[in-house]
Amino acid sequence: IFNLVMQLQLQLRSNRSSNSTGTASLLTLLLSLTILSLASISTKAFQLQPSLINNLQSHRYKTFSSLAMSAIKRTKLNIPPSTKLIATHSGTFQADEALGVWILRQTTAYFKSPVLRSRNPEEFQKADIVIDVGGTYDHSKQLYDHHQRGYQEKFDSKVKSDAQGNKIEIPRCTKLSASGLVYRHYGKEVIQNLYPSLVEKELDLVYLKMYNTFMEAVDAVDTGVEQVADGCDLVYKDCTGLSRRVGRLNPRWNEDPEPNIDERFEEASALCGEDFLQVLTQIVESDLPARSFVEQAVLKRLEVDASGEIIKFESGGMPWKGHLYELEKEHKVDPLIKFVLYADQGGMWRVQAVTVEGQAFENRLSLPEEWRGVRDEDLEKISGIEGCKFCHAAGFIGGNKTFEGALKMAQAALLKK
């Protein structure tokens, strides 16, 4: 039955522009097959052993969610290579233009196009599109530079919701680099080419999240936006980011023999594309399907605990934090959710604290201090809760053999706030 339903979902996605008669016929056929399948099953088939029933219950969420999440998969591009010429500057390269070239090469017009790297303005006349050089931004002329005086182009303002659910626009502090300009005009086409089954609303969500999650950092590094405001010093430096990795592909001043810098540029562009695809795949194939499951948990929170501050997922592993913050505002959740319960792959039930929005380690409410770093029987004695397995030393997560035990741990923590 699940397979039939998922086949219907896939068919509807791939034929969303088809006539309604064909869709209705397919729906009727699949429903008829489902009814016939159910009617042909003996009632004895449902007389399962208790152990099997428990096993099915523990895996029902994983089975259904894996079917649902597999409906969206990236498509291998089948586009004829283009002979149109992309131009950018020569010499030392950055993630900005390397990424911009890769994005263009995923479009229909510039798929696998050759690249001209030069500083000679006359050479640019040969090109069909010029990025990160030339001193002009003009989409109608296919010119995408950001170095000119007075340039102030930025991506659309961020839109957030306050505690009352009111939408607030927050202007960007980051100006668009060349790759940001390319993404502004060609990003949706690239996403749609790679995931043709996305409907318009999904495409808009992915396009925006891809900029917030990936593209804006490239823009900020290239245009010189500090990560920390007011001149504060960073506690530590991160040299593992995309811009740093691309920078290390440039030939060293004393490298011998001297490598071909254009070949290195192609390596850099491919590296940018790999990162782009990894983030895009995460957003489309994992984050997007997870949202509906998080919303169901939020709406059913009072069925888990009367406080409304605890929610339950049948299975762990799916991304939920970003969705939770958004859904709390969308549904005007008050008080805010403090703990999330879910079963891990080993069958243990976890109780995890929800962090303060925008913070990586500060929790809205942590597990009790006296539990932290304690395990098994010792934790059972301290907490008075049967089945306790552990509590992390930082108090952000704990475990119990059963859902009921994990729920009691969260409830006990609420009483101590």
Side-chain angles (χ1 to χ4, degrees):
I1 297 170
F2 277 144
N3 285 334
L4 288 170
V5 173
M6 293 313 302
Q7 287 297 322
L8 173 61
Q9 181 182 6
L10 286 169
Q11 186 66 28
L12 291 176
R13 280 182 172 277
S14 62
N15 295 288
R16 61 184 184 277
S17 299
S18 301
N19 62 74
S20 58
T21 303
T23 301
S25 299
L26 178 62
L27 177 60
T28 303
L29 174 61
L30 289 178
L31 288 177
S32 300
L33 289 172
T34 302
I35 294 170
L36 289 172
S37 298
L38 287 171
S40 65
I41 298 174
S42 169
T43 56
K44 291 183 178 180
F46 293 98
Q47 296 175 4
L48 304 177
Q49 295 298 319
S51 60
L52 181 55
I53 292 175
N54 292 334
N55 186 54
L56 287 171
Q57 287 177 337
S58 66
H59 293 284
R60 68 190 184 278
Y61 187 88
K62 294 181 183 178
T63 302
F64 179 73
S65 62
S66 65
L67 283 168
M69 294 181 187
S70 67
I72 306 177
K73 292 295 181 183
R74 191 167 77 236
T75 298
K76 185 176 181 180
L77 298 183
N78 186 21
I79 303 171
S82 173
T83 58
K84 289 187 175 182
L85 185 62
I86 302 171
T88 188
H89 64 79
S90 57
T92 301
F93 51 79
Q94 294 84 32
D96 176 24
E97 73 273 15
L99 175 59
V101 166
W102 184 89
I103 292 173
L104 287 173
R105 283 173 163 172
Q106 313 311 302
T107 65
T108 302
Y110 297 101
F111 187 65
K112 296 185 177 181
S113 282
V115 172
L116 167 68
R117 300 184 71 241
S118 175
R119 290 284 185 183
N120 185 351
E122 294 181 1
E123 290 287 297
F124 301 150
Q125 302 301 318
K126 303 175 184 177
D128 296 279
I129 188 169
V130 182
I131 70 169
D132 205 38
V133 70
T136 301
Y137 165 50
D138 188 338
H139 177 56
S140 66
K141 297 179 180 179
Q142 303 285 275
L143 303 175
Y144 303 93
D145 195 16
H146 65 104
H147 297 98
Q148 54 272 25
R149 184 178 180 85
Y151 176 85
Q152 292 294 329
E153 295 295 326
K154 297 179 181 180
F155 202 73
D156 296 340
S157 297
K158 296 180 181 178
V159 179
K160 292 189 175 182
S161 300
D162 59 19
Q164 288 72 44
N166 301 312
K167 291 185 177 181
I168 303 173
E169 284 197 6
I170 303 174
R172 304 270 179 180
C173 64
T174 307
K175 290 187 287 186
L176 293 171
S177 66
S179 60
L181 290 172
V182 169
Y183 184 78
R184 169 193 272 181
H185 295 287
Y186 299 95
K188 282 189 179 181
E189 180 189 346
V190 171
I191 296 169
Q192 190 78 80
N193 284 346
L194 294 166
Y195 290 96
S197 64
L198 291 177
V199 297
E200 184 177 359
K201 182 178 180 181
E202 293 170 334
L203 179 60
D204 290 341
L205 287 171
V206 173
Y207 173 72
L208 178 59
K209 190 163 187 177
M210 192 67 194
Y211 184 80
N212 291 336
T213 308
F214 182 75
M215 294 298 306
E216 187 169 26
V218 178
D219 284 341
V221 170
D222 198 76
T223 58
V225 179
E226 296 287 354
Q227 283 185 294
V228 180
D230 302 324
C232 297
D233 292 332
L234 292 173
V235 178
Y236 62 90
K237 292 184 178 180
D238 180 9
C239 297
T240 64
L242 177 61
S243 295
R244 289 296 189 100
R245 287 183 284 130
V246 167
R248 287 194 286 269
L249 287 173
N250 280 286
R252 299 187 302 275
W253 68 273
N254 59 351
E255 192 165 350
D256 186 28
E258 185 177 353
N260 185 314
I261 192 170
D262 290 337
E263 292 179 358
R264 288 286 185 90
F265 175 82
E266 291 294 343
E267 289 183 43
S269 186
L271 176 63
C272 291
E274 289 175 8
D275 275 28
F276 185 99
L277 287 176
Q278 286 179 359
V279 176
L280 180 63
T281 300
Q282 174 71 25
I283 291 172
V284 178
E285 299 185 25
S286 180
D287 293 359
L288 195 61
R291 182 182 173 89
S292 62
F293 291 99
V294 178
E295 185 168 29
Q296 290 174 24
V298 170
L299 296 176
K300 294 181 179 180
R301 65 191 183 281
L302 295 176
E303 297 177 16
V304 177
D305 185 72
S307 68
E309 297 178 72
I310 305 170
I311 62 173
K312 170 190 174 185
F313 300 140
E314 296 291 348
S315 172
M318 68 177 178
W320 55 267
K321 286 186 180 180
H323 297 311
L324 179 60
Y325 300 136
E326 295 171 1
L327 290 166
E328 283 179 324
K329 295 167 186 172
E330 184 177 320
H331 294 287
K332 299 182 179 179
V333 173
D334 185 25
L336 297 177
I337 293 162
K338 307 301 189 300
F339 293 102
V340 174
L341 309 181
Y342 59 86
D344 65 17
Q345 292 182 342
M348 183 194 304
W349 276 89
R350 302 294 187 104
V351 49
Q352 182 170 341
V354 178
T355 55
V356 174
E357 185 174 4
Q359 300 297 316
F361 303 108
E362 182 184 353
N363 301 320
R364 290 173 173 174
L365 179 65
S366 298
L367 293 170
E369 194 278 334
E370 61 270 22
W371 296 4
R372 299 174 195 176
V374 185
R375 303 183 64 87
D376 303 320
E377 292 84 359
D378 293 335
L379 183 54
E380 287 184 343
K381 292 177 182 178
I382 294 174
S383 66
I385 300 171
E386 184 179 351
C388 288
K389 296 299 294 180
F390 79 98
C391 178
H392 193 277
F396 80 96
I397 195 169
N400 196 286
K401 294 179 181 178
T402 66
F403 161 72
E404 291 76 16
L407 177 59
K408 288 179 181 179
M409 291 175 73
Q411 292 170 330
L414 290 176
L415 292 175
K416 292 179 176 290
K417 66 180 179 180

